[in-house]
Structure formats: structure tokens, C-alpha cells
Amino acid sequence: LKMAVSALLFAVSAVMVVSAKPFFPPGNVIIGYAPSCSPKVVQDAIQGVNVINWFNIVLTTDNNSRPVVLQRNMNFTCIAEVARALKDLQLPTAHMVTIGGWNAPHPTNVLTGKGWWELFEDWNRHVVAQPHLGFEGFDGIDWDLEGNDNMTSRWNTFAVDTLDIMGEMSQEGRRRGYYASLVPAQSYFDTTSSRFTRTLTFGYQDFHPDFQYHGYNPFAYVYSRYRFADKAQSLQTFEIMDVQIYETWSRANFYINYKRMDPADYLTWNIRSTVDGWPVQFSEDPSVNYPSQNVSVPARNLVIGFAFGAPDGRSVFVWPSDVSRAWAALPTAYQPRGVMFWNMIMDGANANGTAVPCYMARDFNAFLHARN
């Protein structure tokens, strides 16, 4: 999810106000990213999307080293009008906000995870919310921290503090009734590898080794260590683990386009591997102080992320009909909660460098029934 970030700064202030309870669909989900606010977002929500990830914000510091929320020119009036239109249509929809994106800075330890949540919640209630339109702000946060084009950038390594902030901030939000999702590039949550590192500048020796922006399971650490938000381990921190199989020259791309594996067969294999779990060697990095162990995601928390491909083949494309075949081949206990796609504005455009349009919201909904 690569997009330039421009700025509006907001620092901590003000007193909390009472807001409506955050919402997340209890059943199947179709998650769509909205990099801008337009009627197309409403159209896709009508056709199937029931979770909108509004893109994007970053958590950073200003020139005076004060913690701030930095946003990408979001039009909160427009977002509130979209939310109201969907309410009027009796289409329950979650509105999440994405933190990060390619080339975006990562949150640092100027605040604790709890402190970052308090900053975010204050901003959400006093800047984002539009009470006169019946919009109380975002229902939660979606973590899309990634690397940077500049190979020497500090953001090509996840600091331990950053990974812990992701987990602790999400736990705090969940305890307050909000929701959190993780949306790793596939190499950041990769069932085919037991390696663990916080560095994001690796290439695959067997597949386009010139591309040097892969990682090895950093999001697996966040998910595993911070999986629960309570001591009783009854409250899941992350409502959704949403894996971007369309990462540039991803493992999905390797198997589907290079090894010529049937896309439905690949998806069923990958999904089973994620639900059953795989070992991750967290002890390879003593700085995280976390033992090696198996990582698994319950099917009800798992989402597979898709995109519209690329003419040069760098981003794998899977037709919704192939995704439907995979779902049909899986036992109910292994069927994921749903799908995600990047992005809603592109939906209905020609796919993967062809002259054939792809309607993801509509065609995913045909078998997931996120909307009746």
C-alpha cells in the first residue's frame, strides 16, 4: 500500500467525551481500502464491502519532538457523509483507519503503546468525529507499517519498541472497545519460513533476488506476543490478520506465476498452513526477549488480501472465481473470515494489464455474502 503522506499535525489536548460503541461486522467480511473519499466507496460498500480501511495516518513527532497524528489530507466531512449514507441504506459498516504505508515513518518510544492510543483516541474524538452528521470517528486501527525506498532508511528495520508499541497500543484500544487489524506484506507473516528478523531488506535467492525489500516474520512477533488483550486470554487483540499476498514478488507470486500452481490450490494450502500454524524462531533475535514458538491464526480472524495485479507481473493477481473455488474446497473450520482488496477506487478497472475488468466487491460478495 504505497502512497505519499502529507501533513496535518494534531497534538494531545482536551477531555474525553462519550461516543457511540465502535462497530465491527460479526460475520464474514470484505475489506476495501479507500485512499480517497468518493461516491465509488459507497458503490463498493453497497456491492459487498462491509469494512472500509481509510488510508492513511502515521504516528510520529513534529519539529519540536512532540508526538502527533500525521494524516494524509483526509476529508472527515466526506467520510462522515459516506458513513451516514450507508447507515441510511441500513448497511452496517466498520470504518477503520490505516496507520503507515510504504515510505511512512514508524511510531517511536516518545510514548508508550498506551500513550499512543490515548493520543489517537483524543484525535479520533475531537478531530475525526462529526457529531452533527452522526459520525463518532473510526472504529479502530489497521496496522500497515512497511519499509522504505531508501535502502539506508531507519524505517527498513523495525525497532523493538515499534513492534511492542503496535501490540500494546492495539491491546489498549481493544480493552476500550475498539478494534485492531494487522495487514502485513506476505514476507512479514510467511508460513513458508521459520526465520525471524526485524530487517526488511532481504531478497529471495530463488525468485527475483534483485528485489531487496522482503522481511522475515516481524508481524508474527506482534501477533503472537500480543494476541490477547486480557490476562484471561479471552479477548483477542487483533480482530483481523490480513495478509497481503500481492506484496511485490511475493511467495504467492512465486508459487502461482513461477511454479504454475493452481491459484485455488495455492490458497487452500496457504490458508491451512496459517490456521494450523508454523514454527517461528523468535530466539534468533535476543533483543525481543521472546521464545521461539508456533504461530497460528484462527480461521475466524484470518483474511487474505488481494490486488489488481501489474502488467510486469510483480504483483500477483487472482480472479475472484479462483478465490471462490478455494473457499469451496476448504472445510468450514478452515474458511477464513473473508477477503481484502486494494483498492476500492480501482474496483471495476481492467485487471493485471489485461483488457478485462475485475469487480472485486461484487464477485467476492457472491460467495462470502457479506452483504445480502
Side-chain angles (χ1 to χ4, degrees):
L1 306 175
K2 182 173 180 179
M3 186 160 297
V5 177
S6 57
L8 172 65
L9 300 181
F10 174 71
V12 178
S13 65
V15 178
M16 296 292 184
V17 295
V18 176
S19 65
K21 184 178 180 180
F23 169 77
F24 203 90
N28 287 349
V29 296
I30 300 174
I31 301 171
Y33 276 87
S36 62
C37 186
S38 78
K40 189 71 172 65
V41 176
V42 176
Q43 178 185 340
D44 258 26
I46 291 171
Q47 292 183 340
V49 172
N50 59 354
V51 179
I52 302 172
N53 286 353
W54 295 95
F55 192 82
N56 62 335
I57 63 172
V58 295
L59 307 176
T60 186
T61 54
D62 64 14
N63 291 334
N64 295 313
S65 299
R66 295 176 302 184
V68 292
V69 176
L70 180 71
Q71 68 187 46
R72 180 198 154 270
N73 292 330
M74 286 182 169
N75 183 334
F76 298 124
T77 299
C78 181
I79 292 172
E81 289 171 345
V82 166
R84 185 171 67 174
L86 296 176
K87 284 182 182 178
D88 290 346
L89 291 168
Q90 299 183 34
L91 295 173
T93 307
H95 298 270
M96 306 282 281
V97 65
T98 298
I99 301 172
W102 190 259
N103 283 339
H106 304 166
T108 65
N109 63 0
V110 293
L111 290 175
T112 63
K114 180 179 180 181
W116 276 115
W117 176 263
E118 290 172 345
L119 171 65
F120 168 81
E121 188 172 20
D122 192 64
W123 170 82
N124 193 38
R125 291 183 171 184
H126 296 98
V127 176
V128 178
Q130 307 290 306
H132 62 291
L133 294 173
F135 182 62
E136 298 295 339
F138 296 116
D139 295 298
I141 55 177
D142 171 62
W143 288 104
D144 180 37
L145 298 187
E146 300 186 31
N148 193 283
D149 282 332
N150 181 354
M151 289 292 290
T152 63
S153 170
R154 64 182 289 197
W155 309 124
N156 278 324
T157 298
F158 282 121
V160 177
D161 287 338
T162 294
L163 296 176
D164 290 336
I165 285 167
M166 292 171 66
E168 292 165 1
M169 181 176 173
S170 301
Q171 286 179 324
E172 185 65 24
R174 191 70 194 94
R175 285 191 287 264
R176 299 186 187 202
Y178 291 82
Y179 295 90
S181 57
L182 294 170
V183 57
Q186 190 175 29
S187 67
Y188 300 3
F189 199 81
D190 181 8
T191 62
T192 68
S193 176
S194 293
R195 289 189 62 184
F196 172 72
T197 177
R198 294 177 290 109
T199 301
L200 308 176
T201 52
F202 293 96
Y204 292 145
Q205 294 307 304
D206 58 353
F207 190 57
H208 292 274
D210 54 313
F211 183 77
Q212 297 282 318
Y213 292 103
H214 294 302
Y216 284 103
N217 288 313
F219 273 53
Y221 166 80
V222 179
Y223 179 80
S224 178
R225 185 160 202 162
Y226 295 98
R227 182 171 175 176
F228 297 102
D230 62 339
K231 291 183 179 180
Q233 297 190 351
S234 61
L235 183 63
Q236 292 268 355
T237 300
F238 301 104
E239 187 69 17
I240 296 296
M241 167 56 77
D242 180 359
V243 184
Q244 301 177 43
I245 69 166
Y246 56 87
E247 176 189 20
T248 299
W249 303 124
S250 67
R251 276 302 176 208
N253 198 339
F254 172 75
Y255 283 103
I256 293 172
N257 289 335
Y258 182 69
K259 290 289 190 179
R260 299 297 180 185
M261 191 173 182
D262 179 275
D265 290 343
Y266 171 77
L267 289 172
T268 56
W269 171 62
N270 176 260
I271 289 164
R272 283 180 174 273
S273 298
T274 308
V275 174
D276 287 339
W278 80 106
V280 181
Q281 301 301 319
F282 298 116
S283 58
E284 289 182 358
D285 183 351
S287 64
V288 300
N289 191 28
Y290 190 61
S292 299
Q293 57 194 272
N294 273 22
V295 177
S296 62
V297 181
R300 72 167 306 277
N301 300 114
L302 180 61
V303 163
I304 308 299
F306 301 91
F308 290 89
D312 64 2
R314 66 177 50 236
S315 179
V316 70
F317 172 73
V318 181
W319 287 103
S321 57
D322 290 324
V323 182
S324 177
R325 287 195 298 117
W327 253 247
L330 286 164
T332 302
Y334 282 91
Q335 288 179 352
R337 180 82 162 270
V339 299
M340 170 274 280
F341 67 94
W342 173 268
N343 67 61
M344 298 172 79
I345 307 304
M346 297 173 65
D347 199 18
N350 293 345
N352 208 35
T354 71
V356 183
C358 177
Y359 297 89
M360 287 198 178
R362 181 196 70 188
D363 293 348
F364 284 142
N365 193 56
F367 65 92
L368 285 172
H369 308 293
R371 299 288 196 204
N372 293 327

Short mmCIF file of all heavy atoms in Angstrom, two decimals, residues 166-180 222-239:
data_model
loop_
_atom_site.label_atom_id
_atom_site.label_comp_id
_atom_site.label_asym_id
_atom_site.label_seq_id
_atom_site.Cartn_x
_atom_site.Cartn_y
_atom_site.Cartn_z
N MET A 166 3.05 -1.34 18.59
CA MET A 166 1.94 -1.86 17.80
C MET A 166 1.06 -2.79 18.65
O MET A 166 -0.18 -2.68 18.63
CB MET A 166 2.48 -2.63 16.59
CG MET A 166 3.15 -1.78 15.54
SD MET A 166 3.98 -2.80 14.28
CE MET A 166 2.58 -3.62 13.50
N GLY A 167 1.70 -3.69 19.38
CA GLY A 167 0.93 -4.63 20.19
C GLY A 167 0.25 -3.96 21.37
O GLY A 167 -0.95 -4.17 21.61
N GLU A 168 0.99 -3.14 22.11
CA GLU A 168 0.44 -2.52 23.33
C GLU A 168 -0.64 -1.50 23.01
O GLU A 168 -1.65 -1.40 23.72
CB GLU A 168 1.57 -1.89 24.12
CG GLU A 168 2.54 -2.92 24.71
CD GLU A 168 3.84 -2.30 25.19
OE1 GLU A 168 3.99 -1.06 25.08
OE2 GLU A 168 4.71 -3.06 25.67
N MET A 169 -0.45 -0.73 21.94
CA MET A 169 -1.48 0.23 21.54
C MET A 169 -2.76 -0.49 21.13
O MET A 169 -3.87 -0.07 21.48
CB MET A 169 -0.96 1.09 20.39
CG MET A 169 -1.94 2.15 19.91
SD MET A 169 -1.22 3.20 18.63
CE MET A 169 -2.68 4.15 18.15
N SER A 170 -2.61 -1.59 20.39
CA SER A 170 -3.78 -2.36 19.97
C SER A 170 -4.50 -2.98 21.17
O SER A 170 -5.74 -3.00 21.22
CB SER A 170 -3.35 -3.45 19.00
OG SER A 170 -2.72 -2.90 17.86
N GLN A 171 -3.73 -3.49 22.13
CA GLN A 171 -4.35 -4.04 23.34
C GLN A 171 -5.15 -2.98 24.08
O GLN A 171 -6.27 -3.23 24.53
CB GLN A 171 -3.27 -4.60 24.26
CG GLN A 171 -2.65 -5.91 23.80
CD GLN A 171 -1.57 -6.38 24.75
OE1 GLN A 171 -0.83 -5.58 25.32
NE2 GLN A 171 -1.46 -7.70 24.93
N GLU A 172 -4.57 -1.80 24.22
CA GLU A 172 -5.26 -0.73 24.95
C GLU A 172 -6.56 -0.34 24.24
O GLU A 172 -7.61 -0.17 24.88
CB GLU A 172 -4.35 0.49 25.09
CG GLU A 172 -4.94 1.61 25.93
CD GLU A 172 -5.13 1.23 27.39
OE1 GLU A 172 -4.43 0.30 27.88
OE2 GLU A 172 -5.98 1.86 28.06
N GLY A 173 -6.49 -0.22 22.92
CA GLY A 173 -7.71 0.10 22.17
C GLY A 173 -8.76 -0.97 22.30
O GLY A 173 -9.95 -0.68 22.45
N ARG A 174 -8.34 -2.23 22.25
CA ARG A 174 -9.30 -3.32 22.34
C ARG A 174 -9.97 -3.35 23.71
O ARG A 174 -11.17 -3.60 23.82
CB ARG A 174 -8.59 -4.67 22.08
CG ARG A 174 -9.58 -5.81 21.88
CD ARG A 174 -10.32 -5.67 20.56
NE ARG A 174 -11.49 -6.56 20.49
CZ ARG A 174 -12.72 -6.20 20.82
NH1 ARG A 174 -12.98 -4.98 21.27
NH2 ARG A 174 -13.71 -7.06 20.70
N ARG A 175 -9.19 -3.07 24.75
CA ARG A 175 -9.78 -3.03 26.09
C ARG A 175 -10.81 -1.91 26.21
O ARG A 175 -11.71 -1.99 27.06
CB ARG A 175 -8.68 -2.87 27.14
CG ARG A 175 -7.86 -4.14 27.39
CD ARG A 175 -6.97 -4.01 28.59
NE ARG A 175 -5.83 -3.13 28.37
CZ ARG A 175 -4.61 -3.55 28.01
NH1 ARG A 175 -4.38 -4.85 27.79
NH2 ARG A 175 -3.63 -2.69 27.85
N ARG A 176 -10.68 -0.89 25.40
CA ARG A 176 -11.64 0.22 25.42
C ARG A 176 -12.77 0.03 24.42
O ARG A 176 -13.58 0.94 24.22
CB ARG A 176 -10.90 1.53 25.13
CG ARG A 176 -9.84 1.86 26.17
CD ARG A 176 -9.25 3.23 25.94
NE ARG A 176 -8.11 3.49 26.84
CZ ARG A 176 -7.68 4.70 27.15
NH1 ARG A 176 -8.29 5.78 26.67
NH2 ARG A 176 -6.64 4.86 27.97
N GLY A 177 -12.82 -1.13 23.78
CA GLY A 177 -13.94 -1.44 22.90
C GLY A 177 -13.70 -1.21 21.43
O GLY A 177 -14.60 -1.43 20.61
N TYR A 178 -12.50 -0.77 21.06
CA TYR A 178 -12.18 -0.55 19.65
C TYR A 178 -11.59 -1.82 19.05
O TYR A 178 -11.37 -2.81 19.74
CB TYR A 178 -11.19 0.61 19.51
CG TYR A 178 -11.78 1.97 19.84
CD1 TYR A 178 -11.88 2.39 21.17
CD2 TYR A 178 -12.25 2.82 18.84
CE1 TYR A 178 -12.43 3.63 21.48
CE2 TYR A 178 -12.79 4.06 19.15
CZ TYR A 178 -12.89 4.46 20.47
OH TYR A 178 -13.42 5.68 20.78
N TYR A 179 -11.32 -1.77 17.76
CA TYR A 179 -10.83 -2.94 17.04
C TYR A 179 -9.46 -2.65 16.42
O TYR A 179 -9.10 -1.49 16.18
CB TYR A 179 -11.83 -3.35 15.95
CG TYR A 179 -13.14 -3.80 16.55
CD1 TYR A 179 -14.17 -2.88 16.78
CD2 TYR A 179 -13.34 -5.13 16.92
CE1 TYR A 179 -15.36 -3.28 17.35
CE2 TYR A 179 -14.54 -5.54 17.49
CZ TYR A 179 -15.53 -4.61 17.71
OH TYR A 179 -16.71 -5.01 18.28
N ALA A 180 -8.71 -3.72 16.17
CA ALA A 180 -7.40 -3.59 15.54
C ALA A 180 -7.21 -4.71 14.52
O ALA A 180 -7.70 -5.82 14.71
CB ALA A 180 -6.28 -3.65 16.59
N VAL A 222 4.48 -9.61 16.59
CA VAL A 222 3.43 -8.75 17.15
C VAL A 222 2.17 -9.55 17.41
O VAL A 222 1.57 -9.47 18.50
CB VAL A 222 3.13 -7.58 16.20
CG1 VAL A 222 2.02 -6.70 16.77
CG2 VAL A 222 4.39 -6.75 15.94
N TYR A 223 1.78 -10.35 16.42
CA TYR A 223 0.54 -11.13 16.58
C TYR A 223 0.66 -12.14 17.72
O TYR A 223 -0.25 -12.27 18.55
CB TYR A 223 0.20 -11.84 15.28
CG TYR A 223 -1.05 -12.67 15.39
CD1 TYR A 223 -2.31 -12.07 15.31
CD2 TYR A 223 -1.00 -14.05 15.62
CE1 TYR A 223 -3.47 -12.81 15.44
CE2 TYR A 223 -2.15 -14.80 15.75
CZ TYR A 223 -3.38 -14.17 15.66
OH TYR A 223 -4.53 -14.91 15.81
N SER A 224 1.78 -12.84 17.77
CA SER A 224 1.94 -13.90 18.77
C SER A 224 2.07 -13.34 20.18
O SER A 224 1.39 -13.79 21.11
CB SER A 224 3.16 -14.75 18.42
OG SER A 224 3.39 -15.75 19.39
N ARG A 225 2.92 -12.35 20.35
CA ARG A 225 3.18 -11.84 21.69
C ARG A 225 1.99 -11.06 22.25
O ARG A 225 1.74 -11.09 23.46
CB ARG A 225 4.42 -10.95 21.69
CG ARG A 225 4.80 -10.47 23.09
CD ARG A 225 6.23 -10.01 23.16
NE ARG A 225 6.72 -10.06 24.53
CZ ARG A 225 8.01 -10.05 24.87
NH1 ARG A 225 8.95 -10.01 23.94
NH2 ARG A 225 8.36 -10.11 26.14
N TYR A 226 1.26 -10.39 21.40
CA TYR A 226 0.18 -9.51 21.87
C TYR A 226 -1.20 -10.01 21.42
O TYR A 226 -2.13 -9.22 21.27
CB TYR A 226 0.43 -8.08 21.37
CG TYR A 226 1.69 -7.50 21.96
CD1 TYR A 226 2.89 -7.51 21.26
CD2 TYR A 226 1.68 -6.97 23.26
CE1 TYR A 226 4.05 -7.00 21.82
CE2 TYR A 226 2.84 -6.45 23.83
CZ TYR A 226 4.02 -6.47 23.10
OH TYR A 226 5.17 -5.98 23.66
N ARG A 227 -1.31 -11.30 21.27
CA ARG A 227 -2.54 -11.88 20.73
C ARG A 227 -3.76 -11.60 21.59
O ARG A 227 -4.87 -11.44 21.07
CB ARG A 227 -2.35 -13.39 20.57
CG ARG A 227 -3.53 -14.10 19.98
CD ARG A 227 -3.19 -15.54 19.64
NE ARG A 227 -4.35 -16.28 19.19
CZ ARG A 227 -4.32 -17.53 18.75
NH1 ARG A 227 -3.15 -18.18 18.70
NH2 ARG A 227 -5.42 -18.14 18.35
N PHE A 228 -3.58 -11.54 22.90
CA PHE A 228 -4.72 -11.32 23.79
C PHE A 228 -4.57 -10.00 24.52
O PHE A 228 -3.46 -9.56 24.85
CB PHE A 228 -4.84 -12.46 24.79
CG PHE A 228 -5.13 -13.79 24.16
CD1 PHE A 228 -4.12 -14.72 23.99
CD2 PHE A 228 -6.40 -14.09 23.72
CE1 PHE A 228 -4.38 -15.95 23.40
CE2 PHE A 228 -6.68 -15.31 23.12
CZ PHE A 228 -5.66 -16.24 22.95
N ALA A 229 -5.72 -9.36 24.79
CA ALA A 229 -5.73 -8.06 25.46
C ALA A 229 -6.07 -8.15 26.92
O ALA A 229 -6.15 -7.15 27.62
CB ALA A 229 -6.72 -7.12 24.75
N ASP A 230 -6.27 -9.38 27.43
CA ASP A 230 -6.58 -9.56 28.84
C ASP A 230 -5.82 -10.75 29.39
O ASP A 230 -5.37 -11.63 28.65
CB ASP A 230 -8.09 -9.75 29.04
CG ASP A 230 -8.61 -11.01 28.34
OD1 ASP A 230 -7.94 -11.50 27.41
OD2 ASP A 230 -9.69 -11.50 28.72
N LYS A 231 -5.66 -10.78 30.70
CA LYS A 231 -4.90 -11.84 31.34
C LYS A 231 -5.59 -13.20 31.21
O LYS A 231 -4.93 -14.24 31.18
CB LYS A 231 -4.69 -11.51 32.82
CG LYS A 231 -3.73 -10.34 33.04
CD LYS A 231 -3.49 -10.10 34.52
CE LYS A 231 -2.52 -8.95 34.74
NZ LYS A 231 -2.27 -8.69 36.19
N ALA A 232 -6.90 -13.19 31.13
CA ALA A 232 -7.64 -14.45 30.99
C ALA A 232 -7.54 -15.03 29.59
O ALA A 232 -7.99 -16.14 29.34
CB ALA A 232 -9.11 -14.23 31.34
N GLN A 233 -6.95 -14.29 28.67
CA GLN A 233 -6.79 -14.70 27.27
C GLN A 233 -8.13 -15.04 26.63
O GLN A 233 -8.27 -16.01 25.88
CB GLN A 233 -5.82 -15.87 27.16
CG GLN A 233 -4.41 -15.53 27.62
CD GLN A 233 -3.40 -16.61 27.28
OE1 GLN A 233 -3.75 -17.71 26.84
NE2 GLN A 233 -2.13 -16.31 27.47
N SER A 234 -9.11 -14.19 26.93
CA SER A 234 -10.44 -14.37 26.34
C SER A 234 -10.77 -13.27 25.33
O SER A 234 -11.74 -13.40 24.59
CB SER A 234 -11.50 -14.37 27.45
OG SER A 234 -11.49 -13.14 28.16
N LEU A 235 -9.97 -12.20 25.31
CA LEU A 235 -10.23 -11.07 24.43
C LEU A 235 -9.12 -10.97 23.39
O LEU A 235 -7.98 -10.63 23.71
CB LEU A 235 -10.31 -9.76 25.24
CG LEU A 235 -10.65 -8.49 24.47
CD1 LEU A 235 -12.05 -8.58 23.87
CD2 LEU A 235 -10.54 -7.28 25.39
N GLN A 236 -9.44 -11.30 22.14
CA GLN A 236 -8.46 -11.24 21.07
C GLN A 236 -8.08 -9.78 20.79
O GLN A 236 -8.95 -8.94 20.61
CB GLN A 236 -9.03 -11.86 19.79
CG GLN A 236 -9.25 -13.35 19.86
CD GLN A 236 -8.03 -14.14 19.37
OE1 GLN A 236 -7.06 -13.58 18.89
NE2 GLN A 236 -8.11 -15.45 19.50
N THR A 237 -6.79 -9.50 20.76
CA THR A 237 -6.35 -8.15 20.46
C THR A 237 -6.66 -7.78 19.02
O THR A 237 -7.18 -6.68 18.74
CB THR A 237 -4.84 -8.01 20.70
OG1 THR A 237 -4.55 -8.31 22.07
CG2 THR A 237 -4.35 -6.60 20.38
N PHE A 238 -6.35 -8.69 18.10
CA PHE A 238 -6.47 -8.38 16.68
C PHE A 238 -7.68 -9.10 16.10
O PHE A 238 -7.69 -10.33 15.99
CB PHE A 238 -5.19 -8.79 15.95
CG PHE A 238 -3.96 -8.09 16.49
CD1 PHE A 238 -3.07 -8.77 17.30
CD2 PHE A 238 -3.73 -6.76 16.21
CE1 PHE A 238 -1.94 -8.13 17.81
CE2 PHE A 238 -2.62 -6.10 16.72
CZ PHE A 238 -1.73 -6.78 17.52
N GLU A 239 -8.67 -8.32 15.75
CA GLU A 239 -9.87 -8.91 15.15
C GLU A 239 -9.54 -9.57 13.82
O GLU A 239 -10.13 -10.60 13.46
CB GLU A 239 -10.93 -7.83 14.96
CG GLU A 239 -12.28 -8.33 14.50
CD GLU A 239 -13.01 -9.14 15.57
OE1 GLU A 239 -12.64 -9.06 16.75
OE2 GLU A 239 -13.95 -9.88 15.21
#
